[in-house]
Structure formats: structure tokens, C-alpha cells
Amino acid sequence: MKVDGKHFRSIWRERDGWSVGAIDQRRLPHEFVVARLTSCEDAATAIRDMLVRGAPLIGATAAYGMALAMREDSSDAGLKRAYEALIVARPTAINLKWALDEMRETLAPIDPLERAEAAYARADEIVEQDVEINRGIAGNGLAVIEAIAAKKKPGEVVNVLTHCNAGWLATVDWGTATAPIYLAHERGIKIHVWVDETRPRNQGASLTAWELGHHGVPHTVIPDNTGGHLMQHGMVDLAIVGTDRVAANGDVCNKIGTYLKALAAHDNGVPFYVALPSPTIDFAVNDGIGDIPIEQRSGTEVTDMTGRTADGRLETVRIVPEGSPVANYAFDVTPARLVTGLITERGVLKPDRASLAAAFPERITTAAEQVG
Ligand code: MRU
């Protein structure tokens, strides 16, 4: 997507052909800084410290992390070490495991001397595949938006609510939840996005607002608690969110607060869509609510806030009384019954086992197959 007219991706191979460039998302929206990753350890740290984040981008970064590792040590032991270092970087997004499994499957059978080249080639494919998938999501989601626009008076705006950042910054390009929005905007549909701020890390306020703004898509940032009110007053036509993992039964794990938005949407008859690439489906998990481990992050994300002062300095301040305990569950699970449809690269699916299995039969695995 565009940043002030110039096309960017969130991650790329640098001109030297081997190191990896990525936008440092911790610095947005205040500073646009590019980081250079030169080792497997750099890639693992980038994922762990949320320099990169968002399920598909975590997978793409891990794939390049494996390629960087193969330059350092392409032996069987090196391959195992790299997989183990990257798999623990973040727990929720299943795209991380998917990408690492793809890389290991490609690399394990071949001569260690050929692994580095093969690793870069496979990582590049994973990156290009993400962009293609998101284009597919864009087209299928566009049909949903067009159907809503068709029921409105000519020239009336379609209002979409989104949560967290499932935009191009969370993927390689286009985004998942934002892909249909960008395409609708490109096609001249009048669209406006309500952007949840998404406490505690504010991915909506800092990232979604930044990317929509720099691409020229009309949007408004709202405090997390506002969505229900807007829905009650007919100010939201549909919600589209991303996801970090979809269980085989259609339950959706996404950024904390997604469940509350789905409840409000259900109560107000607002369609609630989840956009996802197929690597986000986890057929090994049958019950999203019971079986997806939820990442708990540092309490400082709740107690502290960072922003720019009027005189231009970046400052972190504490907003919670000293000594008050805090909890920081980073994700929640929205039950499939609250989801109107899953927007995938192969169509808009019902959120249930049969529909997911029929659309993506090649992705079906059991929990037993996933071990190791
Ligand atoms: O903790 P984050 O910022 O990695 O969480 C990101 C989200 O929850 C996104 O909505 C999700 O990964 C979908 S990204 C296309």
C-alpha cells in the first residue's frame, strides 16, 4: 500500500540480497524507521519485541529468520536450533508455526550446502503468497461491501468498524481486514472506517489510523468502548476484523476486545466479518475457547503510555496508581456463533468445521500430527 504516494511493503529483502528490511512498528505513528535484520536472533527479537507484529507478518518474518539462520549454520542441528528459537517468539498467531513448518519441510530433505539458497527462495514465496492471498480476500470482501453499498442511497457512505491492526502493516501488503476496504476505496465506493484505539498497545490508534491516513482512506479513531454506542445508532454497517488463529470449529482468536465488539454487533444486527488467510486456520484446535493459549503480556503495557509531547518529545508516562495490580491478556476468542462470515481467499465461508474443511482440505491436520 502507499505511504504518501510511495509504495511500501512491511518486510522485504534488502539490495544486498540477504539481509531483511522491515518497518519498525514500535516507532509508528511518530517516526517512520526501517530496521535491518541480519541474523536469526534479530528476526526472533523483532517478533518478540513487536518491531513486527500481526499474524501473517510474524510468519513472513520467521521465514526470513530461517533463511538468515541457514547462512549462519545450515547443518541439521542449525535447522533445529533456528526452528526452536523462532517458534517461541510469540504464542498466539498460528502463522508462525505454519511458516516454520513450511520452511522445515523444504529444507530438511536437501543437502545442507544448498539450504541457504533454498531457504531464501521459499521465504520469498511465502511473502509473495501472502500478498496474493490478501488480494483474494480483497476481492471476496469487496462483494460484501458492494452488497451493503447497493442497499444504501446513492452516494451514502459505508461505515466499517475494525479492531486492532489487521492492515498492510500486519501482513506483507494489503492487510486482511483492510484489504476489502482498500479495494472498495480504489473502486470509488464511499467508505469510512471506525478505528478502535485497541488498548493497551493501541495498534488501532497508532497503526491502522496511520496506514489508512497515509493511503487516503477516510477514518475516525474511537476509544475502544464506543463501538456499541455507534452500532445502536445505525452508524456501523459492518465490522471486519483480522485474526491470529481460527479453530476448526470456526471460533476466532483475535486481539483482546474483539469478543465484546462481536457481542455488540450481534445485539444490534450488525454483520460481523473476520478476514483471514488460510495459514491462520488451525485444524488441530477443535475448540477455540478451550484450546488456544492466550498470550499474557507485560503489565507495563497497561500501566504506561507513550506519546509525543507538544514540544515534540516522545515520552512515557504512568497512568495507573503505583502498586495497583494489572492484568494484560493480549487476545480473546469470539465464538463462531457471533461471526457472520469468514472472508478468505477462497470465498466468504460460514464459520463452521464443514465449510472450513471443504474450502481448505489440504490444510486439515490433527493435533497428533502437529506435535513436533
Ligand atoms: O499483538 P498483535 O499486534 O500482533 O495482534 C495483531 C492482531 O490481533 C491482528 O488483528 C491479527 O494478527 C490479524 S493481522 C492480519
Side-chain angles (χ1 to χ4, degrees):
M1 292 291 104
K2 298 226 169 76
V3 180
D4 304 333
K6 189 170 173 219
H7 183 258
F8 272 92
R9 284 183 171 184
S10 62
I11 194 164
W12 58 88
R13 256 215 254 181
E14 290 288 6
R15 279 179 192 198
D16 58 22
W18 66 271
S19 66
V20 176
I23 299 170
D24 186 343
Q25 301 193 19
R26 298 167 306 182
R27 312 281 285 270
L28 291 172
H30 307 295
E31 293 166 332
F32 186 84
V33 174
V34 167
R36 184 165 171 252
L37 314 179
T38 60
S39 65
C40 177
E41 183 49 35
D42 278 358
T45 305
I47 296 169
R48 198 172 38 245
D49 292 354
M50 291 179 72
L51 182 153
V52 294
R53 26 71 49 210
L57 179 57
I58 288 171
T61 308
Y64 278 134
M66 288 288 265
L68 290 165
M70 291 304 94
R71 293 182 81 241
E72 296 157 12
D73 177 1
S74 63
S75 66
D76 287 354
L79 183 58
K80 187 165 180 284
R81 215 174 14 254
Y83 187 103
E84 285 168 359
L86 289 158
I87 193 75
V88 295
R90 285 198 67 191
T92 314
I94 197 64
N95 307 57
L96 174 62
K97 182 174 187 326
W98 172 84
L100 291 174
D101 287 348
E102 291 287 316
M103 294 298 290
R104 187 168 60 181
E105 216 171 278
T106 304
L107 302 177
I110 64 176
D111 186 331
L113 290 175
E114 291 167 12
R115 280 184 182 156
E117 201 182 325
Y120 276 105
R122 185 70 190 106
D124 287 344
E125 275 171 18
I126 285 173
V127 160
E128 293 308 322
Q129 189 185 351
D130 180 68
V131 180
E132 268 323 293
I133 286 176
N134 298 338
R135 284 209 182 95
I137 291 172
N140 293 326
L142 176 67
V144 172
I145 293 173
E146 280 174 339
I148 288 171
K151 289 191 197 136
K152 296 193 149 238
K153 293 191 194 107
E156 239 178 23
V157 173
V158 176
N159 284 294
V160 186
L161 181 137
T162 194
H163 190 66
C164 193
N165 173 255
W168 70 264
L169 288 167
T171 65
V172 176
D173 205 353
W174 283 89
T176 56
T178 55
I181 294 169
Y182 284 125
L183 190 57
H185 176 71
E186 208 172 285
R187 296 282 166 88
I189 295 174
K190 281 198 173 167
I191 198 152
H192 165 262
V193 187
W194 295 111
V195 178
D196 283 352
E197 61 178 347
T198 319
R199 280 283 288 146
R201 280 189 75 105
N202 297 315
Q203 288 94 330
S206 347
L207 303 176
T208 307
W210 183 85
E211 63 163 85
L212 290 174
H214 282 272
H215 194 80
V217 179
H219 64 281
T220 306
V221 178
I222 47 172
D224 283 330
N225 314 320
T226 310
H229 167 79
L230 297 177
M231 291 180 198
Q232 272 178 339
H233 291 271
M235 295 163 82
V236 180
D237 294 299
L238 76 162
I240 313 179
V241 299
T243 170
D244 293 81
R245 200 185 299 203
V246 173
N249 68 351
D251 288 350
V252 168
C253 182
N254 192 47
K255 183 55 55 192
I256 192 81
T258 303
Y259 173 42
L260 286 176
K261 292 299 137 62
L263 282 171
H266 185 73
D267 194 42
N268 290 284
V270 171
F272 188 89
Y273 288 94
V274 178
L276 64 133
S278 53
T280 302
I281 305 166
D282 189 352
F283 278 105
V285 167
N286 286 314
D287 165 21
I289 297 170
D291 295 341
I292 297 178
I294 299 293
E295 177 177 4
Q296 289 191 50
R297 298 187 57 84
S298 162
T300 56
E301 291 183 352
V302 180
T303 56
D304 296 4
M305 271 191 140
T306 301
R308 192 179 280 295
T309 60
D311 61 359
R313 282 171 298 114
L314 285 182
E315 231 174 65
T316 301
V317 293
R318 187 175 171 99
I319 58 166
V320 173
E322 292 290 346
S324 281
V326 295
N328 189 9
Y329 295 90
F331 296 90
D332 61 25
V333 178
T334 299
R337 68 185 158 77
L338 298 178
V339 177
T340 308
L342 299 172
I343 306 174
T344 75
E345 71 268 29
R346 293 195 189 154
V348 181
L349 310 177
K350 281 197 203 142
D352 60 38
R353 193 178 309 269
S355 308
L356 283 167
F360 298 101
E362 76 283 6
R363 297 269 300 119
I364 299 174
T365 47
T366 62
E369 280 167 345
Q370 290 252 332
V371 173

